[in-house]
Amino acid sequence: MKRILVGLMIMFAAITDAAAQDTTTVEAMLRNKVDEALTILRAPDQDMDQKKQAIVAIVEPLFDFPLMAKLVLGKKHWTSLTPEEQQRFETLFVERLKSSYIDKIDLYRDEQVAWKPAIAEGPNKVRIPSAIVSRNEEITTAYKLYRASRQWKIYDVEVQGVSIVSSYRSQFDQILTSGSKEDLFRELESSSQPASPAPPSAE
Amino acid sequence: MLSRNPQRKIRQWLAAALGLAFIATTVPATAQDDPFADLDSQFETRQPQIADPLAPWNRLMFEVNDRLYFYLLKPVARGYKAVVPEPARIGVRNFFTNLEAPLRFTACLLQGKGQQAGHELSAFVINSTFGVLGFFAPARLEPALNNLPEEDLGQSLAVWGAGHGPYLVWPLLGPSSLRDSVGRAGAYFLDPFTYVDPSEADLIASGVDTVNATSLRLGEYEALKKDAVAPYEAMRDIYVQYRQRQVEQ
């Protein structure tokens, strides 16, 4: 009997962890992770940098960053890079994406996350709409996940209907259409530039 | 291989189930051998497009607006924010949002959204009265009247089949398109301040509206610019995607 129970447990673990998840399970998984992150965020008197680290540790495995790096270039531009350049691009882009995500953590105040039912977009894709609700407004967001070999992974995020991947796609397309690969890497490496422009005298 | 031993039967069944679960984990469902190809074509076909024949003018205006933001609007909005507490600023925003109700109501009607037009009207009446001229938004407490999609005439034109036309960046007003500019011109006639005497009141009202709205959104433009690798294209793309969703709603 004990062996059967152990067997059942393993089976259950295998099923929940695996591609056998249906959209409701994906939704529950994502909700859990986001709830975990929010709990950390709301914890009083804790160092912000520690909080950020803990949140990134929870959120990071949910994203398929290498796939996102490919998608923002698109097949046309991605295949025009050498394997070394692809690797370099992936590293730089993923770094940029993560740091922009971490920056957003600072903006958090007392917002709640409201979930809406997941929408299956074909057998291997799901869209999970949600909203960030604060005291005076509601920002609609959506997570887009696909069925990877072992689990569902996020490949795009939408904020107010604006897809992050689409947005980067048109920017990189612009850079590579009107410029060169060197321009692309220069733009990516200068990511830590200040948000405000230089004083007018420097122009 | 049928056995009378129920335990063994269960074990066999378990083994089969485990096997299936294992197959499910290791063999991904069809079409996912190359998720890149599948998703790439999805993004390729859905990539929003807008013609930008006036790019030199638009880029110049983008720069002008960028400077105006950092050197004029932002410092003023920061000063205003320091003096006026947040609840009051939210009240001011509610007030201006409420006054745009005639515009949203008309835009709803032009799109054949009768029910939503009715909701706009109810919200306008409730907020203007119980909400003390719209400074409070008690209509939001009613779920049907909360978060109504913000309709405008540009969206009505889109619903009638008008495309964006060329992308246009206006000084002070920011990103737009030919279609949305026409919509904006129409909105002028639905703005109550247009009919207020003296005519300077209209200018002052838009100034207060802009500074107040900016004070509630400080840091957002900065973040957008920081995240962008090509800020002008980023802004254009965000505009088109955002409008697309508004039209679809």
Side-chain angles (χ1 to χ4, degrees):
Chain A
M1 195 57 199
K2 202 176 158 191
R3 271 170 63 190
I4 292 173
L5 277 178
V6 172
L8 269 173
M9 256 173 61
I10 293 169
M11 197 180 79
F12 186 67
I15 287 173
T16 47
D17 185 47
Q21 291 170 324
D22 64 355
T23 50
T24 34
T25 341
V26 190
E27 201 187 322
M29 181 273 293
L30 191 66
R31 272 184 191 217
N32 275 336
K33 296 291 177 184
V34 172
D35 282 348
E36 268 181 62
L38 284 176
T39 311
I40 293 173
L41 213 45
R42 286 174 190 144
D45 52 76
Q46 209 193 359
D47 182 49
M48 199 58 194
D49 283 337
Q50 273 183 353
K51 281 187 180 183
K52 282 182 181 173
Q53 269 187 352
I55 289 166
V56 168
I58 293 169
V59 172
E60 205 173 346
L62 298 174
F63 286 86
D64 190 338
F65 287 123
L67 177 63
M68 291 174 88
K70 284 166 142 187
L71 286 172
V72 293
L73 280 190
K75 198 156 231 161
K76 183 175 73 173
H77 295 307
W78 177 256
T79 48
S80 75
L81 299 184
T82 65
E84 292 76 36
E85 288 169 334
Q86 289 179 344
Q87 190 54 54
R88 188 171 165 211
F89 177 79
E90 188 189 306
T91 313
L92 285 169
F93 177 71
V94 171
E95 206 174 286
R96 193 190 177 92
L97 206 57
K98 278 189 205 163
S99 79
S100 108
Y101 177 81
I102 292 168
D103 284 348
K104 303 292 175 295
I105 297 176
D106 284 324
L107 297 176
Y108 182 84
R109 293 204 298 173
D110 54 356
E111 289 82 359
Q112 306 283 325
V113 177
W115 297 93
K116 283 157 197 159
I119 304 158
E121 296 187 323
N124 300 312
K125 276 176 276 182
V126 64
R127 173 196 189 81
I128 304 181
S130 55
I132 299 167
V133 187
S134 68
R135 267 173 298 165
N136 57 67
E137 65 181 338
E138 192 175 306
I139 295 167
T140 54
T141 50
Y143 295 90
K144 297 198 272 185
L145 295 91
Y146 80 103
R147 195 197 293 266
S149 53
R150 290 199 66 252
Q151 65 175 110
W152 291 80
K153 291 239 179 191
I154 299 171
Y155 68 90
D156 190 18
V157 177
E158 284 180 11
V159 180
Q160 298 280 57
V162 178
S163 142
I164 305 293
V165 168
S166 276
S167 169
Y168 274 118
R169 229 176 133 100
S170 52
Q171 294 175 58
F172 287 130
D173 184 53
Q174 169 65 28
I175 291 172
L176 285 168
T177 310
S178 66
S180 63
K181 290 176 188 175
E182 283 68 44
D183 295 321
L184 172 76
F185 287 115
R186 199 179 327 111
E187 283 300 332
L188 272 175
E189 273 162 349
S190 69
S191 62
S192 52
Q193 60 187 322
S196 52
S201 57
E203 289 289 303
Chain B
M1 276 291 285
L2 277 173
S3 158
R4 268 182 228 133
N5 182 345
Q7 270 218 357
R8 203 164 141 200
K9 231 172 147 179
I10 290 170
R11 240 179 282 149
Q12 278 172 357
W13 180 82
L14 253 180
L18 266 176
L20 275 177
F22 182 70
I23 289 166
T25 39
T26 49
V27 183
T30 48
Q32 284 303 292
D33 302 329
D34 188 4
F36 178 40
D38 174 39
L39 295 171
D40 185 63
S41 57
Q42 177 190 315
F43 279 107
E44 194 65 44
T45 48
R46 287 191 202 161
Q47 195 71 25
Q49 301 289 346
I50 191 163
D52 194 1
L54 303 170
W57 156 269
N58 287 340
R59 277 181 199 277
L60 181 66
M61 285 309 118
F62 176 78
E63 284 301 322
V64 165
N65 287 338
D66 184 80
R67 297 297 147 96
L68 278 172
Y69 176 77
F70 283 108
Y71 293 108
L72 183 67
L73 188 53
K74 189 179 173 181
V76 173
R78 278 169 93 167
Y80 173 82
K81 184 184 176 182
V83 184
V84 186
E86 194 182 24
R89 287 182 286 132
I90 292 171
V92 170
R93 188 175 63 183
N94 290 341
F95 171 76
F96 284 108
T97 307
N98 189 51
L99 284 182
E100 280 157 16
L103 165 65
R104 288 190 299 270
F105 175 77
T106 312
C108 284
L109 285 186
L110 292 174
Q111 293 173 52
K113 293 177 174 169
Q115 193 189 22
Q116 198 181 324
H119 286 156
E120 282 291 351
L121 188 62
S122 312
F124 180 66
V125 170
I126 294 169
N127 290 338
S128 303
T129 53
F130 297 109
V132 196
L133 298 176
F135 281 97
F136 299 94
R140 287 215 196 108
L141 298 172
E142 171 60 43
L145 303 182
N146 190 21
N147 283 309
L148 294 170
E150 266 180 60
E151 302 295 345
D152 57 53
L153 298 177
Q155 293 174 60
S156 303
L157 289 170
V159 168
W160 292 350
H164 266 301
Y167 180 60
L168 272 174
V169 183
W170 292 103
L172 297 166
L173 302 176
S176 190
S177 66
L178 183 59
R179 180 194 75 200
D180 291 343
S181 301
V182 171
R184 228 188 150 119
Y188 173 79
F189 296 101
L190 292 164
D191 176 4
F193 278 106
T194 305
Y195 307 98
V196 171
D197 219 31
S199 52
E200 291 81 25
D202 191 11
L203 266 176
I204 293 167
S206 6
V208 173
D209 187 10
T210 307
V211 169
N212 184 72
T214 309
S215 78
L216 290 162
R217 304 209 158 277
L218 285 171
E220 287 183 15
Y221 177 66
E222 291 85 335
L224 185 151
K225 240 186 117 184
K226 194 176 171 219
D227 286 348
V229 274
Y232 172 78
E233 284 76 16
M235 189 66 118
R236 190 180 62 196
D237 183 73
I238 287 169
Y239 182 73
V240 180
Q241 284 198 59
Y242 182 68
R243 291 298 286 170
Q244 172 94 26
R245 178 172 151 275
Q246 285 192 313
V247 170
E248 282 164 5
Q249 266 186 342

